[in-house]
Amino acid sequence: AEHQHTRYNPLRDDWVLVSAHRVKRPWQGQLEKPPPEDVPRWDPKNPLCPGSTRANGEVNPQYEGTFVFPNDFPALQPDAPEPDDSDHPLFRAAPARGVCKVMCFHPWSDLTLPLMSLPEIRAVIDAWAELATELGASYPWVQIFENKGAMMGCSNPHPHCQVWASSFLPNEARLEDRTQRQHLSQHGVPMLLEYAEQEARRKERLVVENADWLVVVPYWATWPYQTLLLPRRHVCRLQDLSDSERDSLASIMQRLLIKYDNLFDVSFPYSMGWHGAPTGSYLKEDCRHWQLHAHYYPPLLRSATVRKFMVGYEMLAQAQRDLTPEQVSAAQRARDQGVTAPDCPLCCALQAAERLRSLPEVHYKKRAE
């Protein structure tokens, strides 16, 4: 844990360089601005608020729960024309069609998922499953994803996500389809089902768990506090979850996201998304190799203002991280024992999983209530 090494990611069939000692280096790079704490509950200029007018002139209804509408600036459209034929194999193009939707989680702009009630989070999960079923009836891939915070490219301070359905399997989906199919063929068990069982037993990288779900900092994590949300039973798609599993999913999501916010006492930025078995024509095929899961990719490294940048070596060679998923430095052990230790960045002293696991499950904004 104290020395550099590479770790294999079986889900992506690639490697990550782990350089645990690098987090101790002094930071003189870019400092991010913490997200604003004074977001108005309703703003007529916010195009996601109830009753607001969006860029295309449409007026949002006075919604009181979740609200889904077509993206006003979609990356995919259902009627895109076929590209011209290529005259050389190095200049290939293929058709890309689909639909893009936006889903508001709640009518209030000053709420995020960890501050919502369990019934409100359950309503979000149900809406996700409904969209996955509706769009998955005809499209092979339905990508549900949330970009939280301006640091992750979110341009609107309102709790929402996006849903893009495509006529093709995107790169990550094709990759995970291949690796999971190979694992089932070679080992006779779905990869992520076996992985969840291993992590539940080892507990080194476990963050939170309940009867139906567990969250781990994966062994091959690339981002500092990256987590993987996994069901305990074999589930291929989000829409296959039972009522009780949806309830427990709402609970474990709330617990995880409260811990994220409590890590640096800030509304924690991340990109997250669901991956499950393909849909459309794949609904008729054997997809037992797939296991439903959600990825959380948060960029913050040392504080609310210092982030991990994926540049240079990461872009030109392979992924690299500065903190092992289970590292505990000598400095933190000394602190735990009441021994004075040299000052070092917070992240240097704490392992990712243990740091998240030890955080309180009462949101920092509610501690005084």
Side-chain angles (χ1 to χ4, degrees):
E2 297 294 335
H3 302 284
Q4 65 266 21
H5 59 282
T6 59
R7 295 191 180 193
Y8 181 62
N9 181 345
L11 196 56
R12 301 196 74 257
D13 189 24
D14 66 8
W15 295 79
V16 56
L17 172 62
V18 181
S19 309
H21 57 285
R22 272 173 49 84
V23 79
K24 300 176 184 179
R25 70 193 190 279
W27 181 260
Q28 295 181 340
Q30 177 175 316
L31 297 178
E32 306 290 339
K33 291 183 178 179
E37 296 280 353
D38 57 347
V39 176
R41 180 154 292 181
W42 183 84
D43 182 352
K45 297 180 181 179
N46 188 327
L48 298 186
C49 282
S52 294
T53 302
R54 303 202 307 274
N56 63 357
E58 292 191 22
V59 178
N60 296 334
Q62 295 292 339
Y63 64 92
E64 297 181 352
T66 60
F67 170 51
V68 179
F69 62 92
N71 194 312
D72 297 329
F73 303 96
L76 295 163
Q77 296 177 324
D79 53 357
E82 295 274 342
D84 294 335
D85 292 334
S86 172
D87 61 356
H88 192 281
L90 293 179
F91 299 92
R92 291 187 296 171
R97 300 185 179 92
V99 295
C100 298
K101 294 181 179 290
V102 176
M103 187 178 99
C104 295
F105 298 155
H106 196 280
W108 295 356
S109 293
D110 58 342
L111 281 190
T112 54
L113 279 170
L115 292 169
M116 290 167 54
S117 68
L118 288 178
E120 289 168 339
I121 299 174
R122 168 63 195 266
V124 170
I125 294 167
D126 288 339
W128 282 342
E130 289 172 11
L131 283 170
T133 301
E134 173 194 337
L135 298 174
S138 53
Y139 289 102
W141 190 255
V142 180
Q143 183 60 65
I144 299 168
F145 65 97
E146 179 193 5
N147 293 325
K148 180 172 179 256
M151 195 181 301
M152 298 309 292
C154 180
S155 59
N156 200 298
H158 192 93
H160 70 286
C161 73
Q162 298 189 55
V163 183
W164 294 11
S166 61
S167 61
F168 55 90
L169 289 189
N171 293 342
E172 292 297 311
R174 286 191 291 108
L175 188 56
E176 289 193 3
D177 184 72
R178 175 175 64 80
T179 58
Q180 290 181 98
R181 188 184 299 275
Q182 289 175 344
H183 189 93
L184 180 64
S185 175
Q186 294 171 4
H187 302 280
V189 60
M191 177 199 296
L192 291 181
L193 184 62
E194 181 178 11
Y195 180 68
E197 293 171 350
Q198 285 289 320
E199 290 287 27
R201 180 175 62 82
R202 296 168 185 256
K203 297 190 181 300
E204 296 173 276
R205 289 165 292 273
L206 191 65
V207 177
V208 286
E209 63 179 329
N210 61 25
D212 300 311
W213 300 87
L214 70 158
V215 176
V216 301
V217 176
Y219 177 77
W220 53 80
T222 301
W223 294 94
Y225 289 97
Q226 175 180 335
T227 55
L228 185 64
L229 172 58
L230 295 161
R232 291 185 184 273
R233 78 172 177 97
H234 187 201
V235 184
C236 288
R237 300 178 177 92
L238 191 63
Q239 52 268 44
D240 297 336
L241 296 174
S242 67
D243 279 347
S244 62
E245 286 170 330
R246 295 185 187 193
D247 284 339
S248 58
L249 175 57
S251 173
I252 205 164
M253 282 176 55
Q254 184 188 62
R255 293 170 63 196
L256 169 65
L257 298 179
I258 286 175
K259 286 179 180 291
Y260 269 156
D261 281 8
N262 285 345
L263 181 60
F264 299 126
D265 282 357
V266 69
S267 185
F268 205 68
Y270 58 74
S271 283
M272 72 80 65
W274 285 100
H275 283 175
T279 48
S281 61
Y282 291 88
L283 292 169
K284 300 177 182 179
E285 297 186 9
D286 184 357
C287 290
R288 287 176 300 160
H289 55 289
W290 270 92
Q291 174 74 330
L292 176 70
H293 59 282
H295 297 281
Y296 284 85
Y297 299 129
L300 292 180
L301 175 59
R302 305 181 184 210
S303 69
T305 61
V306 177
R307 66 177 296 183
K308 166 71 175 177
F309 287 91
M310 291 294 184
V311 295
Y313 189 87
E314 291 86 357
M315 295 177 68
L316 297 167
Q318 69 181 38
Q320 182 271 334
R321 63 177 283 130
D322 300 335
L323 176 71
T324 64
E326 54 297 292
Q327 175 188 15
V328 181
S329 74
Q332 180 59 32
R333 288 194 294 271
R335 287 194 186 113
D336 292 342
Q337 297 167 8
V339 178
T340 302
D343 289 338
C344 64
L346 178 64
C347 232
C348 155
L350 297 169
Q351 59 169 313
E354 174 58 27
R355 173 64 173 158
L356 289 173
R357 184 166 54 241
S358 64
L359 290 165
E361 296 187 7
V362 175
H363 198 278
Y364 73 92
K365 288 186 177 181
K366 296 184 177 182
R367 289 174 192 163
E369 295 181 4

